Amino acid sequence: MHSQASAAAEKAVVAPYGSWESPISAAAVSAAGRTVEGLAVAGDGRLLWVETRPEEGGRAVLVKEAAEPGGDAVDVTPEGFAVRSLAQEYGGGAFAVQGDVVVFSNYSDQRLYKQTIGDNSAQPLTPDYTGSVLRYADGVFDPHFCRYVTIMEDHRKDSSNPVTTIAAVTISDRDANEPTVLVSGNDFYAFPRIDPIKRCMAWIEWSNPNMSWDKAQLWVGYFSEKGEVHNKICIAGGDPTLVESPTEPKWTSKGELFFITDRESGFWNIYKWDEESNLIVQLYSLDAEFSKPMWIFGVSSYGFLGKDDTSNKIVCCYRQNGRSCAGVLDHDSGSFSELDIPFSSVTNIVSGDGFFYVEGASATLPVSIAKVTLDEKRKTATNFSIVWSSSEDVMQYASYFSLPEFMEFPTVVPGQKAYAYFYAPHNHIFQGSSDEKPPLLVRTHGGPTDEARGVLDLGVQYWTSRGWAFVDVNYGGSTGYGRKFRERLLGQWGVVDVNDCCSCATFLVETGRVDAQRLCVTGESAGGFTTLACLAFRLIFKAGSSLYGIADLASLRAGMHKFEAYYIDNLVGNRKAYFERSPINFVDRFSCPIILFQGLEDTVVSPVQATTIYKAIKDKGLPVALVEYEGEQHGFRKAENIKFTLEQQMVFFARLVGHFKVADGITPIKIDNFDEPSL
């Protein structure tokens, strides 16, 4: 029995699984949608971050921590501006701060602007090119030449194959000047980072057909008297006998270069460059991930502690066996001290003097930013306070939360395992009867090079508090488990992920946790592809829901932007595999009810894909429903649509495979081949 269940069992009301009443409504789920993107510490030691707000149509605003603990954070971004870069389509790294001066990328025109914190105006630094054709990200202030050095993506000649460079933008003039290109010639660049002592800069670069996590290089270039880059040397990634993906270079105030790479072990660990010998030294060896794939710019997985970082200590975090561990690494002695903080998942860290800020979450805390204060020896956390929360009122539902159980399960390959987070049904008022097993919803995460993290998500608790079991699968190819696990999906997308999701559901049936006759599957985007493939090519699941899921791999490949131009090729393989793994080509094989949700302005997955599958399943006589949203793109942003999607999935599964009545007063949409046609 689930550990939480035993305490409540004596007084709980027995009711069919799936029929339980819960205060965690779909409206509550859709309201808990604020996200954070990018952290930095201002000159006065207070934190800045970018917050996206669904209630303002997803506008991204730069916010500053309150001057006093418990006070309200202050908006920095003036009205009419939004801090969001579209570089590499996914953006990130949209601002930088030096003292009280901020440079940011403005969403509507993608120009760079300079602003003094507290001032309600912003000065453009780059010229106005109509139509967002120049995009900037991951910039830093250059202390040597009074300029801003940034990644620049130029769409002027070819929007499908933009030119990416590292460029310099003048910040002292009143006029907006044309940026000067410093480094060019490769397909992609990231992390331009400038040595505060010597006139030099580190950066990461990589080229097609690789993603940055497949193979990349770390370079250092020295500045001439005029600020041009010359005398470039490759620090890591240049040895043809070693496959590695260096990332996150950072200089200390003393001019020492640190970075993270996954050479030899296949796990991202922290290294230091010895400039004199041009050798690199590993600081701490562990089969764990100290960084993650760079889908967006501006990732920060570690920072230097102490005023002007003279303490020789690095605050960092690693991910191992499904949880994050934050700690302090002494880079002189190589010792690591784990810090006891409430987050089981950490995504970003920035440091101050004797404290650091961390973005993270846990099974009972939603995505939050916390300030962590350390003792004098920098080994123990003496204070942990939440600075920002994605959902402040979530704790009112705590007695309904199901806690995730990290589990390993066997795959179809003998001796091989994959991972998942299992959430048992939990509601302190209700329990299921002893002769019934709960229905199961399997969620297939997107990416696919990404990871389910087992943290508080009201979108999961919506199901479990109503009596559903829920499992988030980290199939082969997921991140967080090293290169070898991640590369299980190379050439095998649509095979390994599908097998693992089916194996996970089967394992839960065989271990007596769930009902074999009520297995459902859901996924968004790339997860929607895995969902549709499970439903077309396997007979495990009894119903499914696809949210803007990919049904046609060839069509996805044809419309792919430069950043991911070869990503799908690496995951799928040859033309034959593109055809054979696309559910759209085998609609006759669908054998159970499906509900589809699709934004009509989606440029990644054409709405035609959802329509084609809907019509084919309808013609076959299987129960099917299609929900199309005006004004939605790839991923739903409007609160009312997020709410409607969740409710209709719930009632669709309840009516078709559940054998129970949902407690909520939801009006179901018409299901073709199931509801009687109205006369």
Side-chain angles (χ1 to χ4, degrees), residues 464-512:
T464 55
S465 63
R466 284 167 175 75
W468 280 76
F470 191 103
V471 69
D472 243 337
V473 185
N474 278 322
Y475 47 77
S478 301
T479 62
Y481 300 90
R483 180 184 283 265
K484 197 173 174 186
F485 189 83
R486 200 169 66 237
E487 291 187 345
R488 283 186 195 174
L489 210 58
L490 290 180
Q492 295 294 310
W493 192 29
V495 179
V496 165
D497 50 324
V498 170
N499 284 340
D500 287 358
C501 289
C502 292
S503 295
C504 184
T506 305
F507 176 76
L508 288 167
V509 169
E510 289 171 351
T511 51

Tab-separated table of all heavy atoms in Angstrom, residues 464-512:
chain	number	residue	atom	x	y	z
A	464	THR	N	-4.250	12.168	-9.817
A	464	THR	CA	-4.078	11.271	-8.660
A	464	THR	C	-5.080	11.570	-7.551
A	464	THR	O	-5.539	10.660	-6.861
A	464	THR	CB	-2.641	11.365	-8.104
A	464	THR	OG1	-2.339	12.733	-7.809
A	464	THR	CG2	-1.627	10.839	-9.108
A	465	SER	N	-5.458	12.854	-7.390
A	465	SER	CA	-6.406	13.202	-6.328
A	465	SER	C	-7.834	12.768	-6.678
A	465	SER	O	-8.715	12.767	-5.825
A	465	SER	CB	-6.366	14.708	-6.053
A	465	SER	OG	-6.768	15.439	-7.202
A	466	ARG	N	-8.058	12.357	-7.929
A	466	ARG	CA	-9.365	11.841	-8.344
A	466	ARG	C	-9.378	10.310	-8.421
A	466	ARG	O	-10.370	9.720	-8.814
A	466	ARG	CB	-9.764	12.445	-9.697
A	466	ARG	CG	-10.243	13.875	-9.576
A	466	ARG	CD	-10.352	14.596	-10.918
A	466	ARG	NE	-10.942	15.927	-10.726
A	466	ARG	CZ	-10.317	16.967	-10.208
A	466	ARG	NH1	-9.055	16.853	-9.819
A	466	ARG	NH2	-10.927	18.121	-10.050
A	467	GLY	N	-8.223	9.704	-8.054
A	467	GLY	CA	-8.199	8.249	-7.993
A	467	GLY	C	-7.517	7.562	-9.163
A	467	GLY	O	-7.655	6.353	-9.354
A	468	TRP	N	-6.766	8.314	-9.936
A	468	TRP	CA	-5.964	7.721	-11.006
A	468	TRP	C	-4.544	7.451	-10.496
A	468	TRP	O	-4.017	8.209	-9.684
A	468	TRP	CB	-5.846	8.676	-12.195
A	468	TRP	CG	-7.037	8.687	-13.106
A	468	TRP	CD1	-8.245	9.281	-12.869
A	468	TRP	CD2	-7.123	8.092	-14.404
A	468	TRP	NE1	-9.082	9.092	-13.947
A	468	TRP	CE2	-8.420	8.366	-14.908
A	468	TRP	CE3	-6.238	7.356	-15.194
A	468	TRP	CZ2	-8.854	7.920	-16.159
A	468	TRP	CZ3	-6.664	6.924	-16.453
A	468	TRP	CH2	-7.961	7.194	-16.923
A	469	ALA	N	-3.925	6.402	-11.004
A	469	ALA	CA	-2.472	6.239	-10.876
A	469	ALA	C	-1.854	6.958	-12.076
A	469	ALA	O	-2.466	7.030	-13.147
A	469	ALA	CB	-2.101	4.766	-10.883
A	470	PHE	N	-0.663	7.501	-11.887
A	470	PHE	CA	-0.019	8.296	-12.942
A	470	PHE	C	1.452	7.920	-12.968
A	470	PHE	O	2.074	7.759	-11.912
A	470	PHE	CB	-0.185	9.786	-12.605
A	470	PHE	CG	0.194	10.744	-13.704
A	470	PHE	CD1	-0.777	11.366	-14.466
A	470	PHE	CD2	1.534	11.048	-13.960
A	470	PHE	CE1	-0.438	12.277	-15.468
A	470	PHE	CE2	1.885	11.940	-14.959
A	470	PHE	CZ	0.890	12.563	-15.721
A	471	VAL	N	2.027	7.780	-14.154
A	471	VAL	CA	3.468	7.501	-14.221
A	471	VAL	C	4.120	8.370	-15.292
A	471	VAL	O	3.614	8.492	-16.410
A	471	VAL	CB	3.764	5.999	-14.434
A	471	VAL	CG1	3.363	5.511	-15.827
A	471	VAL	CG2	5.228	5.682	-14.152
A	472	ASP	N	5.214	9.037	-14.898
A	472	ASP	CA	6.032	9.859	-15.793
A	472	ASP	C	7.247	9.026	-16.171
A	472	ASP	O	8.071	8.699	-15.303
A	472	ASP	CB	6.509	11.106	-15.033
A	472	ASP	CG	5.966	12.386	-15.631
A	472	ASP	OD1	5.605	12.384	-16.820
A	472	ASP	OD2	5.908	13.399	-14.897
A	473	VAL	N	7.396	8.681	-17.446
A	473	VAL	CA	8.438	7.731	-17.865
A	473	VAL	C	9.685	8.450	-18.376
A	473	VAL	O	9.586	9.338	-19.223
A	473	VAL	CB	7.902	6.789	-18.973
A	473	VAL	CG1	8.942	5.731	-19.320
A	473	VAL	CG2	6.598	6.126	-18.542
A	474	ASN	N	10.846	8.071	-17.869
A	474	ASN	CA	12.117	8.486	-18.455
A	474	ASN	C	12.656	7.321	-19.280
A	474	ASN	O	13.422	6.481	-18.811
A	474	ASN	CB	13.109	8.929	-17.374
A	474	ASN	CG	12.868	10.367	-16.952
A	474	ASN	OD1	12.540	11.214	-17.779
A	474	ASN	ND2	13.014	10.649	-15.670
A	475	TYR	N	12.160	7.272	-20.512
A	475	TYR	CA	12.544	6.200	-21.447
A	475	TYR	C	13.993	6.383	-21.897
A	475	TYR	O	14.582	7.462	-21.710
A	475	TYR	CB	11.588	6.202	-22.645
A	475	TYR	CG	11.329	7.571	-23.256
A	475	TYR	CD1	12.263	8.183	-24.093
A	475	TYR	CD2	10.145	8.265	-22.984
A	475	TYR	CE1	12.030	9.427	-24.650
A	475	TYR	CE2	9.899	9.522	-23.533
A	475	TYR	CZ	10.844	10.095	-24.367
A	475	TYR	OH	10.622	11.338	-24.917
A	476	GLY	N	14.568	5.351	-22.480
A	476	GLY	CA	15.916	5.446	-23.032
A	476	GLY	C	15.994	6.632	-23.985
A	476	GLY	O	15.147	6.776	-24.867
A	477	GLY	N	17.004	7.486	-23.798
A	477	GLY	CA	17.098	8.717	-24.578
A	477	GLY	C	16.854	9.938	-23.723
A	477	GLY	O	17.167	11.059	-24.109
A	478	SER	N	16.303	9.726	-22.519
A	478	SER	CA	16.056	10.846	-21.607
A	478	SER	C	17.379	11.362	-21.042
A	478	SER	O	18.385	10.652	-21.023
A	478	SER	CB	15.146	10.404	-20.455
A	478	SER	OG	13.914	9.921	-20.946
A	479	THR	N	17.343	12.591	-20.549
A	479	THR	CA	18.540	13.192	-19.956
A	479	THR	C	18.577	12.897	-18.458
A	479	THR	O	17.605	12.434	-17.878
A	479	THR	CB	18.550	14.709	-20.187
A	479	THR	OG1	17.400	15.273	-19.540
A	479	THR	CG2	18.465	15.032	-21.664
A	480	GLY	N	19.727	13.190	-17.835
A	480	GLY	CA	19.866	13.015	-16.392
A	480	GLY	C	20.522	11.711	-15.986
A	480	GLY	O	20.789	11.480	-14.814
A	481	TYR	N	20.806	10.843	-16.975
A	481	TYR	CA	21.364	9.518	-16.670
A	481	TYR	C	22.648	9.248	-17.461
A	481	TYR	O	23.072	8.105	-17.586
A	481	TYR	CB	20.312	8.425	-16.963
A	481	TYR	CG	19.051	8.601	-16.148
A	481	TYR	CD1	17.983	9.361	-16.633
A	481	TYR	CD2	18.944	8.066	-14.867
A	481	TYR	CE1	16.839	9.561	-15.873
A	481	TYR	CE2	17.805	8.265	-14.098
A	481	TYR	CZ	16.753	9.008	-14.607
A	481	TYR	OH	15.628	9.211	-13.849
A	482	GLY	N	23.257	10.298	-18.003
A	482	GLY	CA	24.521	10.144	-18.713
A	482	GLY	C	24.349	9.933	-20.207
A	482	GLY	O	23.259	9.687	-20.713
A	483	ARG	N	25.487	10.035	-20.924
A	483	ARG	CA	25.488	9.969	-22.388
A	483	ARG	C	25.007	8.615	-22.912
A	483	ARG	O	24.233	8.548	-23.869
A	483	ARG	CB	26.899	10.264	-22.916
A	483	ARG	CG	26.999	10.224	-24.438
A	483	ARG	CD	28.423	10.421	-24.921
A	483	ARG	NE	28.831	11.826	-24.847
A	483	ARG	CZ	28.751	12.686	-25.874
A	483	ARG	NH1	28.239	12.296	-27.026
A	483	ARG	NH2	29.165	13.917	-25.728
A	484	LYS	N	25.457	7.531	-22.290
A	484	LYS	CA	25.118	6.193	-22.793
A	484	LYS	C	23.597	5.983	-22.801
A	484	LYS	O	23.027	5.476	-23.769
A	484	LYS	CB	25.809	5.126	-21.928
A	484	LYS	CG	25.872	3.764	-22.576
A	484	LYS	CD	26.716	2.805	-21.735
A	484	LYS	CE	26.663	1.399	-22.306
A	484	LYS	NZ	27.351	0.439	-21.432
A	485	PHE	N	22.940	6.376	-21.720
A	485	PHE	CA	21.483	6.248	-21.624
A	485	PHE	C	20.812	7.163	-22.651
A	485	PHE	O	19.861	6.771	-23.326
A	485	PHE	CB	21.016	6.610	-20.208
A	485	PHE	CG	19.562	6.319	-19.945
A	485	PHE	CD1	19.142	5.047	-19.591
A	485	PHE	CD2	18.603	7.321	-20.056
A	485	PHE	CE1	17.794	4.770	-19.343
A	485	PHE	CE2	17.257	7.058	-19.812
A	485	PHE	CZ	16.855	5.779	-19.459
A	486	ARG	N	21.343	8.389	-22.782
A	486	ARG	CA	20.778	9.366	-23.723
A	486	ARG	C	20.885	8.873	-25.162
A	486	ARG	O	19.990	9.101	-25.985
A	486	ARG	CB	21.534	10.688	-23.557
A	486	ARG	CG	20.826	11.907	-24.061
A	486	ARG	CD	21.514	13.181	-23.618
A	486	ARG	NE	22.832	13.386	-24.169
A	486	ARG	CZ	23.935	13.562	-23.463
A	486	ARG	NH1	23.886	13.524	-22.138
A	486	ARG	NH2	25.093	13.758	-24.041
A	487	GLU	N	21.981	8.177	-25.464
A	487	GLU	CA	22.220	7.747	-26.846
A	487	GLU	C	21.496	6.453	-27.222
A	487	GLU	O	21.587	6.000	-28.354
A	487	GLU	CB	23.729	7.641	-27.109
A	487	GLU	CG	24.384	9.024	-27.107
A	487	GLU	CD	25.851	9.022	-27.517
A	487	GLU	OE1	26.479	7.940	-27.540
A	487	GLU	OE2	26.373	10.123	-27.805
A	488	ARG	N	20.739	5.885	-26.270
A	488	ARG	CA	19.894	4.736	-26.618
A	488	ARG	C	18.884	5.091	-27.704
A	488	ARG	O	18.395	4.221	-28.419
A	488	ARG	CB	19.116	4.243	-25.386
A	488	ARG	CG	19.900	3.433	-24.408
A	488	ARG	CD	18.960	2.886	-23.327
A	488	ARG	NE	19.702	2.400	-22.172
A	488	ARG	CZ	19.131	1.972	-21.046
A	488	ARG	NH1	17.808	1.978	-20.935
A	488	ARG	NH2	19.856	1.558	-20.032
A	489	LEU	N	18.553	6.381	-27.806
A	489	LEU	CA	17.512	6.804	-28.745
A	489	LEU	C	18.062	7.137	-30.129
A	489	LEU	O	17.287	7.320	-31.062
A	489	LEU	CB	16.757	8.014	-28.173
A	489	LEU	CG	15.292	8.172	-28.578
A	489	LEU	CD1	14.467	6.955	-28.204
A	489	LEU	CD2	14.679	9.426	-27.968
A	490	LEU	N	19.385	7.229	-30.278
A	490	LEU	CA	19.954	7.561	-31.587
A	490	LEU	C	19.546	6.497	-32.606
A	490	LEU	O	19.810	5.301	-32.427
A	490	LEU	CB	21.481	7.673	-31.518
A	490	LEU	CG	22.037	8.887	-30.762
A	490	LEU	CD1	23.557	8.874	-30.770
A	490	LEU	CD2	21.523	10.206	-31.361
A	491	GLY	N	18.893	6.934	-33.662
A	491	GLY	CA	18.415	6.012	-34.698
A	491	GLY	C	17.244	5.156	-34.255
A	491	GLY	O	16.784	4.293	-34.999
A	492	GLN	N	16.749	5.373	-33.024
A	492	GLN	CA	15.725	4.480	-32.462
A	492	GLN	C	14.486	5.202	-31.936
A	492	GLN	O	13.690	4.632	-31.197
A	492	GLN	CB	16.345	3.661	-31.307
A	492	GLN	CG	17.446	2.714	-31.742
A	492	GLN	CD	16.913	1.610	-32.641
A	492	GLN	OE1	15.932	0.949	-32.318
A	492	GLN	NE2	17.540	1.421	-33.785
A	493	TRP	N	14.328	6.497	-32.302
A	493	TRP	CA	13.137	7.220	-31.848
A	493	TRP	C	11.906	6.600	-32.491
A	493	TRP	O	11.874	6.401	-33.706
A	493	TRP	CB	13.254	8.698	-32.209
A	493	TRP	CG	12.234	9.569	-31.535
A	493	TRP	CD1	11.643	9.367	-30.327
A	493	TRP	CD2	11.711	10.806	-32.038
A	493	TRP	NE1	10.783	10.396	-30.037
A	493	TRP	CE2	10.799	11.293	-31.073
A	493	TRP	CE3	11.927	11.549	-33.203
A	493	TRP	CZ2	10.098	12.491	-31.241
A	493	TRP	CZ3	11.234	12.740	-33.371
A	493	TRP	CH2	10.328	13.202	-32.398
A	494	GLY	N	10.906	6.301	-31.671
A	494	GLY	CA	9.726	5.597	-32.180
A	494	GLY	C	9.822	4.101	-31.951
A	494	GLY	O	8.891	3.362	-32.256
A	495	VAL	N	10.964	3.663	-31.402
A	495	VAL	CA	11.148	2.238	-31.070
A	495	VAL	C	11.438	2.103	-29.573
A	495	VAL	O	10.640	1.569	-28.809
A	495	VAL	CB	12.288	1.597	-31.903
A	495	VAL	CG1	12.471	0.134	-31.506
A	495	VAL	CG2	12.005	1.721	-33.388
A	496	VAL	N	12.593	2.642	-29.136
A	496	VAL	CA	13.015	2.516	-27.731
A	496	VAL	C	12.040	3.222	-26.792
A	496	VAL	O	11.636	2.667	-25.764
A	496	VAL	CB	14.453	3.070	-27.551
A	496	VAL	CG1	14.779	3.292	-26.077
A	496	VAL	CG2	15.465	2.087	-28.150
A	497	ASP	N	11.644	4.449	-27.140
A	497	ASP	CA	10.715	5.197	-26.277
A	497	ASP	C	9.366	4.484	-26.174
A	497	ASP	O	8.775	4.376	-25.094
A	497	ASP	CB	10.550	6.631	-26.795
A	497	ASP	CG	10.235	6.701	-28.283
A	497	ASP	OD1	10.756	5.875	-29.043
A	497	ASP	OD2	9.470	7.594	-28.708
A	498	VAL	N	8.891	3.962	-27.305
A	498	VAL	CA	7.607	3.244	-27.341
A	498	VAL	C	7.698	1.958	-26.514
A	498	VAL	O	6.843	1.678	-25.663
A	498	VAL	CB	7.206	2.949	-28.801
A	498	VAL	CG1	6.008	2.005	-28.855
A	498	VAL	CG2	6.898	4.255	-29.539
A	499	ASN	N	8.768	1.200	-26.730
A	499	ASN	CA	8.963	-0.040	-25.957
A	499	ASN	C	9.018	0.230	-24.464
A	499	ASN	O	8.410	-0.482	-23.663
A	499	ASN	CB	10.260	-0.743	-26.389
A	499	ASN	CG	10.115	-1.453	-27.722
A	499	ASN	OD1	8.999	-1.744	-28.168
A	499	ASN	ND2	11.232	-1.724	-28.375
A	500	ASP	N	9.762	1.272	-24.091
A	500	ASP	CA	9.944	1.564	-22.659
A	500	ASP	C	8.641	2.008	-22.002
A	500	ASP	O	8.356	1.629	-20.853
A	500	ASP	CB	11.035	2.622	-22.457
A	500	ASP	CG	12.442	2.064	-22.699
A	500	ASP	OD1	12.563	0.852	-22.978
A	500	ASP	OD2	13.410	2.849	-22.620
A	501	CYS	N	7.842	2.817	-22.700
A	501	CYS	CA	6.559	3.258	-22.124
A	501	CYS	C	5.609	2.072	-21.963
A	501	CYS	O	4.906	1.965	-20.950
A	501	CYS	CB	5.938	4.353	-22.992
A	501	CYS	SG	6.847	5.908	-22.867
A	502	CYS	N	5.620	1.157	-22.933
A	502	CYS	CA	4.785	-0.050	-22.830
A	502	CYS	C	5.307	-0.970	-21.715
A	502	CYS	O	4.520	-1.534	-20.947
A	502	CYS	CB	4.762	-0.790	-24.163
A	502	CYS	SG	3.889	0.118	-25.458
A	503	SER	N	6.628	-1.104	-21.625
A	503	SER	CA	7.233	-1.952	-20.580
A	503	SER	C	6.903	-1.419	-19.190
A	503	SER	O	6.659	-2.189	-18.259
A	503	SER	CB	8.762	-2.002	-20.734
A	503	SER	OG	9.114	-2.644	-21.941
A	504	CYS	N	6.902	-0.087	-19.055
A	504	CYS	CA	6.609	0.536	-17.756
A	504	CYS	C	5.165	0.228	-17.333
A	504	CYS	O	4.918	-0.171	-16.194
A	504	CYS	CB	6.829	2.040	-17.846
A	504	CYS	SG	6.602	2.882	-16.282
A	505	ALA	N	4.237	0.389	-18.267
A	505	ALA	CA	2.826	0.099	-17.968
A	505	ALA	C	2.646	-1.375	-17.604
A	505	ALA	O	1.959	-1.715	-16.634
A	505	ALA	CB	1.956	0.466	-19.168
A	506	THR	N	3.294	-2.257	-18.362
A	506	THR	CA	3.210	-3.704	-18.113
A	506	THR	C	3.779	-4.057	-16.745
A	506	THR	O	3.213	-4.861	-16.000
A	506	THR	CB	3.981	-4.469	-19.218
A	506	THR	OG1	3.458	-4.067	-20.481
A	506	THR	CG2	3.838	-5.969	-19.069
A	507	PHE	N	4.908	-3.424	-16.388
A	507	PHE	CA	5.558	-3.653	-15.095
A	507	PHE	C	4.615	-3.278	-13.949
A	507	PHE	O	4.507	-3.990	-12.948
A	507	PHE	CB	6.853	-2.827	-15.035
A	507	PHE	CG	7.581	-2.897	-13.716
A	507	PHE	CD1	8.320	-4.016	-13.361
A	507	PHE	CD2	7.530	-1.830	-12.819
A	507	PHE	CE1	8.996	-4.074	-12.144
A	507	PHE	CE2	8.204	-1.881	-11.605
A	507	PHE	CZ	8.937	-3.007	-11.268
A	508	LEU	N	3.907	-2.161	-14.095
A	508	LEU	CA	2.978	-1.722	-13.048
A	508	LEU	C	1.771	-2.653	-12.932
A	508	LEU	O	1.240	-2.857	-11.841
A	508	LEU	CB	2.532	-0.278	-13.313
A	508	LEU	CG	3.620	0.781	-13.070
A	508	LEU	CD1	3.219	2.137	-13.641
A	508	LEU	CD2	3.948	0.913	-11.581
A	509	VAL	N	1.367	-3.247	-14.049
A	509	VAL	CA	0.288	-4.254	-14.013
A	509	VAL	C	0.784	-5.510	-13.302
A	509	VAL	O	0.138	-6.042	-12.396
A	509	VAL	CB	-0.194	-4.598	-15.446
A	509	VAL	CG1	-1.116	-5.817	-15.423
A	509	VAL	CG2	-0.908	-3.403	-16.072
A	510	GLU	N	1.984	-5.968	-13.715
A	510	GLU	CA	2.530	-7.223	-13.167
A	510	GLU	C	2.840	-7.124	-11.679
A	510	GLU	O	2.807	-8.126	-10.966
A	510	GLU	CB	3.784	-7.627	-13.950
A	510	GLU	CG	3.464	-8.110	-15.362
A	510	GLU	CD	4.716	-8.314	-16.212
A	510	GLU	OE1	5.825	-7.912	-15.765
A	510	GLU	OE2	4.586	-8.858	-17.326
A	511	THR	N	3.157	-5.925	-11.201
A	511	THR	CA	3.448	-5.758	-9.769
A	511	THR	C	2.186	-5.413	-8.973
A	511	THR	O	2.261	-5.049	-7.799
A	511	THR	CB	4.536	-4.677	-9.553
A	511	THR	OG1	4.166	-3.489	-10.268
A	511	THR	CG2	5.890	-5.148	-10.042
A	512	GLY	N	1.024	-5.506	-9.631
A	512	GLY	CA	-0.249	-5.359	-8.928
A	512	GLY	C	-0.632	-3.943	-8.567
A	512	GLY	O	-1.471	-3.724	-7.695
